[in-house]
Amino acid sequence: MKALEVSAERGLVSSESSGSYTSGATTTSMKIELSHREIPQALTVVTRKQMDDFAQNDINDVLEGTTGVTVESVETDRTYYTSRGFDINNFQYDGVGLPAVYDNVQGELDTAFFDRVEVVRGANGLMAGSGNPAATVNFIRKRPTAQTNASVAVTGGSWDKKRIVGDVSGEVSESGAVRGRVVAGYEDKDSYLDRYSNEKQMFYGVLEADLTDTTLLTLGHSIQTSDTDSPLWGALPLFYTDGTATDFARSTSTASDWSYWDNTQHNSFVELQQELAGGWQAKGTVFRLENDSESELFYQYGTPDPQTGDGLLAYPSQYDLNAEQWVVDAYATGPFELANRTHELVLGATWSRSETVDESRYGQGIGNALPPLNEWDGNYPRPTFDNGVGGSDWTDREAATYAAARWTLTDNLTAITGVRLTWLDSKGTSYGAEKTTSYDAIETPYAGLIYDLNDNHSVYASYTEIFTPQTELDINRDRLDPIDGVNYELGLKSEFLNDRVNTTVALFQTEQQNVADVAGTFAGTPEAYYRGIDGLESQGLELEFVGDVTDRIQLFAGYAYVDIEDANGSSAKSFVPKHLAQLRGTWKVPGIEGLQVGSKVRWQSAISQEQGVATTGPNAGATIVTEQKSYAVVDLMASYDFAHDWNATLNVNNVTDEKYIESLKKFGASAQGFYGEPVNASLTVSWVY
C-alpha cells in the first residue's frame, strides 16, 4: 500500500502517513508542538493505524481502548464518558471546541474524518476552557495531501452490516498551491437488539490554499447523519421488586416498533495561519458545530415482579434538540530570548457562544401498564404527543484570554506556566425556570515541570486549578454552581528504540467541590435532578506502553487504577471500575508477505450501583445493589494484502461471547442497563492508490 503524504505546509506529521502506533508532536495541551516527553500530563494518541487495524469506526470504539477511559453507554444512542472517575465534557476539533451540551454524545460519531484522536488526561483548563479533571478529547481531522491519493473501503458484517467509505486527496490547482480532500461514506446495519437498526451518512470536504509563501488558508465542512429505528431510551430494569437481579436475553429491548432517534451534526471551520518573523506564527480559527436531534421515544419505568414480570409502565415522548456552538480563537506563538536561553510563548484569546433549544412533547398514556419484557415485541399503539410540553432555551457566552510559556531553565529542566482568565454569561430558561448566571475574570492557573534524567527518560509534575460550569439541574430546576478544585500529577515518561516506543507512568490526585450526583427524578418524569457533592477526591495510577516494538510487532498496553472517595472517606462512584486494562497488538507474519494478525483485550474490574430498597419478599426494606462482575472482552483480527494496492481485513469481536452490562451509570433515580454486543464479525476489503 502507498503511504499517504502530509502536505509540507503543516508542521505536524499525520499518523496515516507514518503507519505507526505512535505519533509525533501534539498541540492538544498547549498550542505549541510538544513531543510525548515534553508534556507534563498523561496523553494517549490513537492513530489511524490503530483505528484501521481493529475497525474502530466510531468514537466509542476509540475511547473504549484508551487508557483510563470508560464508555458509559446508558442507551443505544446517548453516551457518556469518564476518566479518572469524572465525566469527560471537553471535546475539541484540531484544538478548538466547547464542552459538550449535557456532557454526552448523541448518535454514533464516526471516525472516517479523523487522522488520530488525542486524549490528554487530567485538568487542561489552560486550553480547554475549564479545568475539568477528567480528560480533553481532541479529534484531529484528516488534511489534504501534496500528492494524489485515493482509497475505497467496503465492509460487510454481522446483522447485515454494510459500509463503504471513499477518500480522495491531492492538488486542486496545477501549481499545487491549492489542495483538497473529500471523505464520504455510508453505513447501514441491524443489531443483536430486537428491532434496532442504524443508518449513517457521512461527508467531509476540506481545502488548503497557499495565499503566499507564508500564509495558509484552510476551509472545511463535514456533515454526518445517524438515523436509528427502535432505539433504547433508558434501558432494561436490572432488579425485581424483591431485590434479586434480572437476567434477560441480550437481544431484549424496551423500544417500541415506531420509535426513532435521528441525529445530524454539522461541523464547519475556517483557519488562517501566518508565519511571522523570528520563528513566530499566528493562527486564527472560526469554528461552528451544530447538533440537531429529532426523536419519538418510548421509555419503560417501574420495577417488575419476580414471578409475573408485571410492573413496567409506559412513558412515550417526542424530543427535539438543537445545539449551536460558535468559537473564535486567535493566538500567536514563538520563541524569545531571556537570560541567554531560548523559551517559547503563547498568547491568545477566544470567544464563544453556545445556544441550546430543546423541547419535550409528552405522549398520551403515560403510566399505562405494559406486558412483561419476555413477552414484549415492541407492539404498542403510537400515541398522540399532546400531554404537555416542556423545554429549554438558553445561551452561554464565554470570553477568555490565555498566556503560557515554556521556560528552558537548564539544559535538563523545563517549566510550563500559564494562566487563563474567563468571563462567562448564561441567560435563558429551562422547563419554565429562569437560568441566569454570570462569572467575571475566573482565573485558571497551570504549572508544570519536566526534568530530563537522560536522553530517554523524563520525570514531570503538574498542577492546575479547576473551574467547571455545570448544566445539571437541582430539584428546583436551577443549575448547579460550578465545580471547583485542584489537580496534581506526577509522572515518568520514557522513549525507546529511537522514539519508536513511548511509555508513561502517572500518579494523580484530584480534589473537587460541588460535583453533580443524581439525587432523584422530577415527579411524573424519568428526568433526573442532581445535588452537589463536596469533598470528592480521586487518586490513582496510570501506565501506558505504545509503539513499534520491531519492524513486525506493534503494541498498545494501558492500565489505570482509580480510587474515588467522598468527604467522609467512603468509596464513591462505584459504577466506575477501579481497574481498567487494555492490550492490543499486531504481528506481521514472517514468510507470508502481506499477512498480519492481531488481538485486542479489554478488561475491567467489578462495578456496582445502589438502586433503592426492595419492596417485596423476605428482603423487603433492604438496600438493592446491582453488580457487574469483572470481565474481559477479546477481539481478533487478520489482515492480508492479497494483490497490489488491495487488502482484506477480518475482525472478530468478543470471541468468548462474554455477557456483560454496558454501564451502571444512573439514568434517573436508579441505573438501568443493557448488554454488550455478543460475538460478531466484519470483513473489510480496501483499495488504496
Side-chain angles (χ1 to χ4, degrees):
M1 295 184 181
K2 181 182 292 185
L4 294 173
E5 297 184 10
V6 70
S7 65
E9 288 75 15
R10 290 184 56 78
L12 300 181
V13 176
S14 73
S15 76
E16 58 182 343
S17 69
S18 70
S20 173
Y21 274 29
T22 61
S23 69
T26 71
T27 59
T28 301
S29 62
M30 199 183 163
K31 293 190 184 294
I32 294 175
E33 295 179 16
L34 299 175
S35 69
H36 162 74
R37 282 174 53 199
E38 293 173 328
I39 300 170
Q41 287 182 257
L43 167 72
T44 295
V45 180
V46 181
T47 63
R48 187 71 249 172
K49 181 68 163 64
Q50 296 183 53
M51 288 187 271
D52 290 342
D53 280 349
F54 293 99
Q56 295 176 321
N57 293 327
D58 66 65
I59 294 306
N60 287 3
D61 294 336
V62 170
L63 294 181
E64 204 166 50
T66 301
T67 303
V69 174
T70 56
V71 176
E72 305 290 351
S73 297
V74 296
E75 304 160 321
T76 52
D77 291 73
R78 178 163 46 183
T79 311
Y80 299 80
Y81 309 93
T82 65
S83 176
R84 299 183 175 181
F86 302 108
D87 289 342
I88 299 174
N89 67 357
N90 282 328
F91 295 91
Q92 300 181 342
Y93 295 81
D94 295 324
V96 178
L98 282 175
V101 174
Y102 296 131
D103 296 344
N104 60 58
V105 170
Q106 296 188 13
E108 277 195 6
L109 185 58
D110 205 90
T111 60
F113 306 153
F114 305 131
D115 173 77
R116 62 190 182 275
V117 179
E118 301 177 353
V119 182
V120 176
R121 293 186 297 284
N124 188 27
L126 193 61
M127 294 298 148
S130 64
N132 185 313
T136 299
V137 179
N138 190 9
F139 304 119
I140 308 299
R141 301 180 181 95
K142 294 177 177 178
R143 297 298 177 120
T145 55
Q147 293 186 354
T148 300
N149 296 280
S151 67
V152 177
V154 179
T155 303
S158 300
W159 302 294
D160 202 25
K161 178 178 180 178
K162 300 176 288 290
R163 176 182 173 91
I164 182 170
V165 175
D167 186 341
V168 180
S169 179
E171 297 177 352
V172 175
S173 65
E174 185 175 345
S175 66
V178 181
R179 300 164 298 280
R181 187 166 190 169
V182 173
V183 180
Y186 174 81
E187 180 178 291
D188 182 59
K189 62 183 178 182
D190 293 331
S191 172
Y192 68 101
L193 291 169
D194 294 337
R195 300 175 297 283
Y196 181 86
S197 63
N198 177 266
E199 182 182 33
K200 288 193 295 186
Q201 299 179 72
M202 301 155 279
F203 176 85
Y204 167 57
V206 58
L207 282 173
E208 284 183 349
D210 299 328
L211 302 183
T212 70
D213 290 341
T214 59
T215 309
L216 175 65
L217 176 67
T218 306
L219 304 94
H221 177 75
S222 66
I223 180 172
Q224 181 194 307
T225 64
S226 179
D227 298 340
T228 299
D229 289 332
S230 296
L232 286 174
W233 183 35
L236 309 177
L238 298 177
F239 58 92
Y240 293 109
T241 55
D242 64 356
T244 57
T246 59
D247 185 19
F248 298 104
R250 272 185 288 200
S251 60
T252 306
S253 168
T254 57
S256 66
D257 51 16
W258 46 261
S259 58
Y260 70 92
W261 199 338
D262 295 345
N263 292 283
T264 302
Q265 183 184 91
H266 299 268
N267 190 322
S268 307
F269 66 99
V270 178
E271 296 174 355
L272 184 64
Q273 183 173 312
Q274 178 67 53
E275 302 295 331
L276 305 172
W280 277 71
Q281 173 185 288
K283 186 175 182 179
T285 302
V286 178
F287 169 75
R288 178 183 179 271
L289 180 67
E290 182 180 10
N291 286 292
D292 281 308
S293 180
E294 297 181 359
S295 61
E296 291 184 358
L297 301 170
F298 191 80
Y299 178 74
Q300 296 195 24
Y301 69 100
T303 307
D305 180 87
Q307 304 301 322
T308 66
D310 295 334
L312 295 177
L313 307 173
Y315 196 101
S317 178
Q318 282 181 339
Y319 179 74
D320 295 339
L321 167 71
N322 177 266
E324 183 183 38
Q325 298 177 317
W326 283 88
V327 184
V328 180
D329 183 77
Y331 70 93
T333 180
F336 68 97
E337 300 290 329
L338 182 66
N340 295 320
R341 288 190 173 275
T342 301
H343 316 278
E344 292 179 274
L345 182 65
V346 178
L347 297 171
T350 185
W351 172 90
S352 64
R353 187 190 72 182
S354 177
E355 185 173 0
T356 302
V357 179
D358 64 6
E359 184 176 79
S360 295
R361 295 176 292 277
Y362 306 113
Q364 294 292 337
I366 292 176
N368 284 353
L370 297 172
L373 272 179
N374 59 4
E375 301 175 10
W376 172 253
D377 61 1
N379 184 14
Y380 184 89
R382 179 182 176 277
T384 56
F385 295 94
D386 54 4
N387 192 21
V389 178
S392 304
D393 185 350
W394 77 71
T395 300
D396 296 327
R397 290 182 174 85
E398 176 182 322
T401 60
Y402 52 89
R406 182 173 180 266
W407 307 92
T408 307
L409 303 179
T410 71
D411 290 344
N412 295 333
L413 182 63
T414 303
I416 295 176
T417 60
V419 66
R420 183 184 181 100
L421 293 177
T422 304
W423 290 260
L424 295 170
D425 179 73
S426 298
K427 293 182 180 179
T429 60
S430 175
Y431 290 83
E434 185 69 24
K435 305 296 162 208
T436 301
T437 56
S438 181
Y439 301 94
D440 292 331
I442 300 299
E443 185 177 310
T444 309
Y446 180 93
L449 280 174
I450 305 102
Y451 181 75
D452 294 337
L453 299 174
N454 53 39
D455 291 340
N456 299 105
H457 307 282
S458 302
V459 292
Y460 71 86
S462 61
Y463 163 88
T464 190
E465 294 185 4
I466 297 165
F467 177 80
T468 308
Q470 302 186 91
T471 58
E472 288 85 357
L473 305 179
D474 64 18
I475 194 171
N476 299 315
R477 289 195 177 274
D478 293 323
R479 278 194 187 183
L480 293 180
D481 290 334
I483 299 169
D484 62 75
V486 292
N487 186 89
Y488 308 92
E489 185 168 326
L490 298 170
L492 167 68
K493 292 189 177 183
S494 303
E495 298 170 350
F496 303 96
L497 302 177
N498 296 321
D499 199 22
R500 296 198 317 180
V501 172
N502 297 329
T503 66
T504 302
V505 179
L507 297 168
F508 61 87
Q509 180 173 329
T510 301
E511 300 168 5
Q512 290 197 99
Q513 309 294 325
N514 201 47
V515 179
D517 183 63
V518 174
T521 57
F522 293 110
T525 80
E527 183 189 0
Y529 64 83
Y530 296 79
R531 61 189 176 99
I533 299 177
D534 288 335
L536 205 61
E537 187 173 299
S538 166
Q539 54 194 353
L541 165 72
E542 293 171 344
L543 308 174
E544 186 169 290
F545 176 105
V546 57
D548 305 336
V549 180
T550 70
D551 291 339
R552 293 187 176 275
I553 298 175
Q554 294 180 307
L555 285 177
F556 177 98
Y559 167 78
Y561 166 78
V562 61
D563 180 48
I564 311 165
E565 297 180 348
D566 61 22
N568 299 319
S570 300
S571 179
K573 296 201 172 187
S574 58
F575 69 91
V576 175
K578 283 195 172 185
H579 304 271
L580 272 175
Q582 295 93 11
L583 174 64
R584 57 184 175 270
T586 59
W587 175 50
K588 294 179 180 178
V589 179
I592 308 177
E593 189 65 27
L595 177 62
Q596 177 180 254
V597 296
S599 179
K600 180 176 69 171
V601 181
R602 175 176 57 88
W603 174 85
Q604 72 170 50
S605 60
I607 55 176
S608 63
Q609 184 69 270
E610 288 193 4
Q611 301 277 43
V613 297
T615 58
T616 64
N619 295 320
T623 300
I624 300 171
V625 178
T626 297
E627 296 182 350
Q628 168 59 60
K629 295 180 179 180
S630 63
Y631 66 90
V633 177
V634 181
D635 303 336
L636 300 176
M637 66 82 64
S639 174
Y640 183 58
D641 299 335
F642 62 89
H644 182 64
D645 294 335
W646 287 87
N647 173 270
T649 299
L650 174 67
N651 292 95
V652 183
N653 300 323
N654 195 5
V655 294
T656 62
D657 207 27
E658 185 75 23
K659 184 179 181 181
Y660 59 94
I661 301 171
E662 283 275 7
S663 173
L664 289 181
K665 183 180 175 71
K666 282 190 175 180
F667 183 88
S670 61
Q672 296 181 322
F674 67 104
Y675 301 105
E677 201 169 35
V679 59
N680 63 94
S682 65
L683 177 65
T684 300
V685 177
S686 57
W687 169 80
V688 177
Y689 170 77

